[in-house]
Amino acid sequence: MSHSPDSTEKNPVHYNKEAEVGAYDTEIGTNNELKKELKSRHMQMIAIGGAIGAGLFVGSGSALEHGGPASLLIGFLIIGTMLLFTVQALGELAVLYPVNGAFFTYVCRFINESWGFAIGWDYAISWLTILPFEITAACITINFWPGGAAVNPAVWVTVFLVVLIGIQVFGVRGYGEVEFFLAIIKICACLGFIILAIVIDCGGVPTDSRGYIGASYWHHPGAFRHGFKGFCSVFVTASFAFGGTELTGLCAAEAADPRKSIPLATKQVFWRISFFYILNLFLLGLIVPADNENLPNASGANTKASPFVIAIKLAGIKGLPSVFNACITMAVISVANSCAYGSTRTIQALATRGMAPRFFSKIDKQGRPIWCVALQVVFGFLAYINSSHHSGDVFNWLLALSGLSYFFVWGSICLAHIRFRAAWKYNGRSLDLIPYKAPFGVVGSAIGLGLNIMCLIAQFYVAVWPIGGGSGSSLAIAFFQAYLAAPLVIVLYLFWKVWARDWTLFVRVQDMDITTGLRENLEDLSVEDTDAVKPTWGNLPKRIVRGLL
C-alpha cells in the first residue's frame, strides 16, 4: 500500500459507526445537535472547576491520615504528572477530532469497540453514582453550622437537587457560566489558604499557641505513616481529587472554538496541578499533624474533618472556618454540576453509537440530552438515603463503582493517543498537519499509561492487604469496596464482545478510521500556537494570569 497523504482514501474501514449517526438520528427523529456555546473562558475554568471539590478539600484528610504528609505530597505529584501527560494527549485528539463523546469515541476508534463500550459506561456510571455522594457531602457541610444540623437532611437534598435541575434547564451555557463562577470562588479559596498556611507555619498568627511550626510535623508524628500500604492508599484518593479535569476533552463537541480553547486549557494543567494541588497539600502537611484525632480514618465525606478547616481551627482563628466551609460547599456543588454534565454527554454519545437505549440519544431544540438529564436526576434521588441508618454502607458501595474508574479512563486515553499516532504515520500523514501536538508526544502517553498501570497495581495491593488488616468477610468487603470498578469494567467488556460478536483484541492500524470527524482544511491551520502572545512588559499581567488560571 502506498503511504502517500491521500492513502486515507484506501483505508479499508469495515465498520464505521460515525457514518451511521446521521441515518440513525433521522430514524429516531433526533436531528437536533449539541449547542456549541462554551467559550474559551468557560473551557479554562471547567478544566479546574470540574476537579477541585470534595476530593481535595475533604478526601485529602484521609490520605494525610493514612500515608502522612510525604506520601500525600508524592502521591499527588505522581497522579498529577500522569494527568499532565493524559490531558495533553487528549487535547491533541480533541482539537483534531472535536466529536461527540470525545475520549470514549477515540477508544472505540483506535483501540477496540468493546473496550470503548466498557470505558464509556464505566465513566458514565462513575459520574452517576458520584452525584448522590456529592449532594451528601454538600448536606454535611451544612451540618457544620448548628442551625443546619437541626434540619432534616432530606430538606437540603431537595434544595440541592432543585438547584442542579435549574442549571440543566439552561443547557450547556448554564453549565459553563455556573462552573466559571464557582471556579473563581475555589481559586480564591486556594490562594487564600496558601497565604494563610504560610503565615501559620511561620508562627504569624497571634492566637496560635504553637508558634513557629516549620517542618516539625514531618519529624513527629512523621513524614510517612502505615508504611508502603499508606503510600499506596494515597493514589486512589488523588485520582478522585483530580477526576473531572478530562472534561475539557468531553466539552470539545460543545466548544465554540475548540482549536483555540482546548489547547489553552490543556497547556495550563501544569500550573493548576502545581499551584492549586501540590502547593496547597504541601503546606497542609506542614500545619496539620497526620495523627490529628479529627482527621477521618476512612474516605467518608465529613466536612467537619476537612483538613483545611482543621488547619484554621488549630490556629485558633475565629469565624474563618465558617467562611472556608462555605467555600467547600460551593466546591461540592460545582463537582455535582460536573457530574450531571459528564454522565449526560457520555450516555448520549453511547446511545448515538448504538451502545445505549435509543431514546438517550435524543437532543431537544435547546441542545440538551433530555432523557440523559432525567436519568442523572433519578440517580440524584439516591441522596435521600441520607435519612436511613444504613446510608454509610450504601454510599460506600456506590463509591466502590467509581473508585478506580479514572485510572481505566486515563490509561485508555493515553493508549488511544499512541495508537492514533501509529495510524496517522501508517497513512503517510505529517505531524505538521496536526493543529495542536501534545508537547511530550507518544513518549508522554507511554509514561502516562505506565503510571496508570502502576497505580492499579498499587491499589490492588492495598485492596488485598488493607491498612489495619482484617479477616474473613471483612477482608472480602474491603477488597471489593476498593476494587469493584475493575470487575465491572471486565464484565462490560465481555458483555459487548458477546453482544456485538466482536472477537478482535485491537482495531488493526490499517483499519483505523482517521478521517471521520476530522477538522477541515488542516493545511491552512498554522502549526504555531495561536494563543501565543509576544512577551512585552505591557502584557506581563495577562501572561501571568493565563499561565496560572
Side-chain angles (χ1 to χ4, degrees):
M1 174 181 284
S2 172
H3 289 183
S4 66
D6 296 330
S7 63
T8 53
E9 303 300 330
K10 302 177 183 179
N11 240 354
V13 181
H14 58 278
Y15 189 49
N16 183 353
K17 282 281 186 180
E18 282 83 8
E20 294 182 349
V21 171
Y24 181 82
D25 285 347
T26 301
E27 178 185 351
I28 62 174
T30 59
N31 292 319
N32 298 312
E33 297 180 351
L34 295 172
K35 302 293 184 182
K36 298 182 181 295
E37 294 183 343
L38 289 177
K39 299 180 180 179
S40 180
R41 63 183 178 89
H42 297 139
M43 297 293 289
Q44 294 175 58
M45 289 302 182
I46 286 170
I48 191 171
I52 297 178
L56 174 64
F57 289 132
V58 181
S60 57
S62 62
L64 178 61
E65 194 278 338
H66 286 342
S71 294
L72 177 68
L73 183 63
I74 297 171
F76 270 75
L77 269 172
I78 292 174
I79 299 299
T81 302
M82 175 182 69
L83 186 60
L84 175 63
F85 293 136
T86 303
V87 174
Q88 295 289 355
L90 178 59
E92 177 179 314
L93 292 171
V95 171
L96 201 59
Y97 301 97
V99 296
N100 189 18
F103 51 82
F104 146 71
T105 303
Y106 308 145
V107 172
C108 288
R109 187 183 295 186
F110 302 126
I111 301 179
N112 179 261
E113 284 219 340
S114 297
W115 188 247
F117 173 85
I119 292 302
W121 269 111
D122 182 53
Y123 187 72
I125 290 172
S126 69
W127 279 124
L128 287 171
T129 54
I130 288 173
L131 177 62
F133 169 78
E134 294 293 339
I135 294 176
T136 299
C139 291
I140 297 177
T141 62
I142 303 297
N143 292 339
F144 179 84
W145 297 285
V151 180
N152 190 306
V155 175
W156 301 118
V157 171
T158 303
V159 170
F160 290 125
L161 279 175
V162 169
V163 170
L164 288 174
I165 293 173
I167 295 173
Q168 300 306 310
V169 169
F170 295 97
V172 67
R173 185 62 182 271
Y175 164 71
E177 293 294 349
V178 169
E179 283 302 296
F180 181 81
F181 173 74
L182 294 180
I184 291 176
I185 293 177
K186 290 185 283 187
I187 290 171
C188 292
C190 288
L191 290 174
F193 183 81
I194 288 172
I195 297 172
L196 177 63
I198 293 174
V199 174
I200 293 174
D201 191 57
C202 295
V205 180
T207 55
D208 193 345
S209 59
R210 295 173 297 176
Y212 175 77
I213 301 173
S216 61
Y217 290 145
W218 281 57
H219 299 285
H220 179 77
F224 295 93
R225 286 170 59 83
H226 301 115
F228 187 62
K229 291 180 183 178
F231 174 73
C232 291
S233 68
V234 174
F235 290 134
V236 70
T237 303
S239 70
F240 185 76
F242 280 117
T245 306
E246 73 288 337
L247 284 174
T248 51
L250 197 64
C251 293
E254 295 175 89
D257 189 358
R259 169 66 186 95
K260 293 183 64 177
S261 58
I262 292 178
L264 185 58
T266 56
K267 285 187 296 184
Q268 293 166 358
V269 167
F270 171 78
W271 296 106
R272 293 169 184 151
I273 291 172
S274 301
F275 203 76
F276 296 114
Y277 283 88
I278 305 306
L279 185 54
N280 261 289
L281 293 175
F282 170 68
L283 292 170
L284 182 70
L286 291 178
I287 61 177
V288 177
D291 61 353
N292 185 282
E293 61 182 6
N294 292 316
L295 288 174
N297 54 16
S299 59
N302 184 355
T303 313
K304 290 184 180 180
S306 166
F308 291 82
V309 175
I310 291 173
I312 300 172
K313 282 188 169 183
L314 288 175
I317 302 174
K318 304 296 183 181
L320 191 56
S322 291
V323 174
F324 205 88
N325 191 71
C327 292
I328 294 176
T329 306
M330 295 292 184
V332 172
I333 294 174
S334 172
V335 176
N337 189 34
S338 295
C339 290
Y341 184 86
S343 65
T344 55
R345 269 54 180 183
T346 303
I347 295 174
Q348 194 276 332
L350 284 162
T352 300
R353 201 177 181 94
M355 294 180 171
R358 286 185 167 190
F359 61 89
F360 282 128
S361 66
K362 179 178 177 57
I363 300 174
D364 65 13
K365 294 180 180 180
Q366 285 71 42
R368 298 169 299 198
I370 194 67
W371 290 111
C372 298
V373 172
L375 177 64
Q376 180 67 88
V377 171
V378 169
F379 267 80
F381 289 154
L382 290 174
Y384 284 110
I385 296 174
N386 282 298
S387 301
S388 168
H389 296 296
H390 301 287
S391 60
D393 293 335
V394 174
F395 282 112
N396 282 338
W397 285 108
L398 284 176
L399 289 177
L401 293 172
S402 59
L404 297 177
S405 294
Y406 292 116
F407 292 133
F408 287 105
V409 170
W410 295 338
S412 298
I413 291 172
C414 292
L415 181 57
H417 179 245
I418 294 171
R419 304 211 74 226
F420 154 74
R421 282 289 189 95
W424 194 261
K425 180 180 180 180
Y426 176 85
N427 285 278
R429 296 292 188 104
S430 171
L431 292 180
D432 293 335
L433 292 175
I434 299 177
Y436 170 72
K437 293 184 287 293
F440 302 100
V442 174
V443 175
S445 294
I447 295 174
L449 177 60
L451 289 175
N452 273 284
I453 294 173
M454 181 195 74
C455 291
L456 285 171
I457 294 173
Q459 183 61 15
F460 181 79
Y461 169 67
V462 176
V464 175
W465 294 283
I467 296 175
S471 61
S473 60
S474 64
L475 275 178
I477 292 174
F479 174 81
F480 282 108
Q481 286 188 345
Y483 224 76
L484 183 60
L488 174 64
V489 169
I490 295 173
V491 169
L492 290 169
Y493 174 74
L494 295 177
F495 168 79
W496 194 253
K497 282 288 183 187
V498 175
W499 181 271
R501 296 182 178 144
D502 171 24
W503 310 116
T504 59
L505 187 60
F506 286 102
V507 178
R508 296 183 301 174
V509 172
Q510 58 267 35
D511 291 341
M512 289 183 190
D513 176 18
I514 64 170
T515 57
T516 302
L518 184 67
R519 289 183 60 91
E520 298 178 355
N521 304 320
L522 289 180
E523 294 81 358
D524 298 334
L525 294 174
S526 171
V527 296
E528 299 294 329
D529 182 3
T530 59
D531 294 300
V533 179
K534 184 178 179 180
T536 64
W537 288 109
N539 61 25
L540 178 61
K542 179 179 180 180
R543 288 185 286 120
I544 293 176
V545 171
R546 278 194 167 193
L548 293 178
L549 299 183

